[in-house]
Amino acid sequence: MAESRIIHGFHAVTARIRQNADSVLEMYVDTQRKDPRARDLLKLAESNGVRIIQVDGKRLDGMAGNSRHQGVVARVDAAQKVQHLDDVLDTLTEPALLLVLDGVQDPHNLGACLRSADAFGVHAVIAPKDRAVGINATVEKVACGAAQTVPYITVTNLARTLRELQERDIWVIGMDGEAETNLYDVQHQGAVAWVLGAEGEGLRRLTRETCDQLVRIPMQGSVESLNVSVSTGVCLYEARRQRVVKP
């Protein structure tokens, strides 16, 4: 039997069926859900040959660990398609736009980062295998399908990976609240990897030292810093804006 894991929530389950229906082993739906949203999902699952099991809410609570499952849970194949960074970079037709997350451990933050990465056309998200949350059910739910659309690549040695990116002429920019350079003073229409650190800790020393440049987000109010997922959205928006703005 294939190794499996649980995902939950309408966005996560719908995205998984649309993008990789063969990986959905079973879908469990609350018998009390008779609304249009539930009917649409059932129709989608049936048309893709997904096995549907009607259960009560208590069983779904147990399967989802009492998370907010919205009345739908799916058991999916846990095997991830192996993706290598070179495979992504070698197929690009525009300068690379990468997001590197240095040890983000909160699944809600990772899910939100993936959602922003999808919205702003990031080609891949890179993270260390250790000291990072990885893709789980909460991440998939918060990401609203982005966990299926944005390549998520884990690496053993993050600093070494950053150096490999630099060898490919990809400019590595780290976010640091103490940096002298302002985000909006940086021109980065070329290939770039944005590096953001973990919640509260920021970039690790070796990661920071490996970056080509450190920049900060200018703050106008009394708040000293932003959540890593918010910072990600700000940086990626500015990166994409600069790529589409007319000279």
Side-chain angles (χ1 to χ4, degrees):
M1 179 179 290
E3 183 181 353
S4 64
R5 63 187 178 88
I6 293 296
I7 64 174
H8 53 76
F10 276 93
H11 281 299
V13 175
T14 299
R16 175 58 74 105
I17 294 175
R18 286 176 175 168
Q19 295 158 19
N20 190 5
D22 291 342
S23 71
V24 182
L25 306 177
E26 297 169 335
M27 185 179 78
Y28 299 81
V29 181
D30 191 336
T31 55
Q32 300 301 312
R33 291 296 303 249
K34 306 293 184 182
D35 53 280
R37 194 179 190 189
R39 290 198 298 270
D40 289 344
L41 179 56
L42 288 170
K43 186 181 299 183
L44 176 68
E46 290 172 353
S47 65
N48 282 276
V50 174
R51 183 187 180 198
I52 301 169
I53 303 175
Q54 298 278 351
V55 297
D56 59 38
K58 288 185 177 180
R59 183 174 179 186
L60 293 179
D61 290 342
M63 295 179 69
N66 293 314
S67 297
R68 295 182 59 185
H69 49 70
Q70 300 175 303
V72 57
V73 168
R75 188 168 64 87
V76 302
D77 189 342
Q80 296 289 327
K81 181 180 179 181
V82 176
Q83 291 176 312
H84 299 284
L85 187 55
D86 287 340
D87 295 335
V88 174
L89 297 177
D90 289 344
T91 60
L92 296 182
T93 57
E94 65 171 339
L97 177 57
L98 306 173
L99 173 63
V100 181
L101 299 174
D102 185 16
V104 171
Q105 300 187 36
D106 185 289
H108 294 87
N109 279 337
L110 177 56
C113 287
L114 289 172
R115 194 169 179 177
S116 292
D118 176 85
F120 298 117
V122 167
H123 299 115
V125 175
I126 303 167
K129 290 181 179 179
D130 299 325
R131 297 182 60 191
V133 61
I135 304 296
N136 60 27
T138 300
V139 172
E140 293 212 29
K141 184 174 186 295
V142 175
C144 294
Q148 302 301 318
T149 60
V150 181
Y152 182 78
I153 300 170
T154 57
V155 298
T156 302
N157 188 313
L158 189 59
R160 182 172 61 203
T161 298
L162 294 180
R163 290 191 290 270
E164 291 171 353
L165 294 179
Q166 291 164 334
E167 291 173 359
R168 280 179 166 261
D169 295 324
I170 297 174
W171 192 248
V172 178
I173 304 177
M175 295 304 302
D176 188 330
E178 302 301 320
E180 295 182 3
T181 304
N182 187 313
L183 168 67
Y184 305 121
D185 292 333
V186 177
Q187 298 299 311
H188 41 72
Q189 292 93 339
V192 63
W194 286 95
V195 188
L196 287 92
E199 306 86 353
E201 300 178 6
L203 300 176
R204 288 178 291 176
R205 179 188 58 80
L206 187 56
T207 302
R208 184 185 296 106
E209 293 175 353
T210 307
C211 292
D212 292 305
Q213 185 176 19
L214 297 175
V215 302
R216 61 179 172 80
I217 297 175
M219 307 291 290
Q220 302 299 316
S222 59
V223 175
E224 296 183 355
S225 63
L226 297 174
N227 177 284
V228 62
S229 61
V230 176
S231 296
T232 294
V234 172
C235 295
L236 295 181
Y237 171 82
E238 178 62 14
R240 182 55 62 181
R241 184 195 68 80
Q242 290 198 20
R243 291 186 177 213
V244 301
V245 70
K246 296 182 180 179

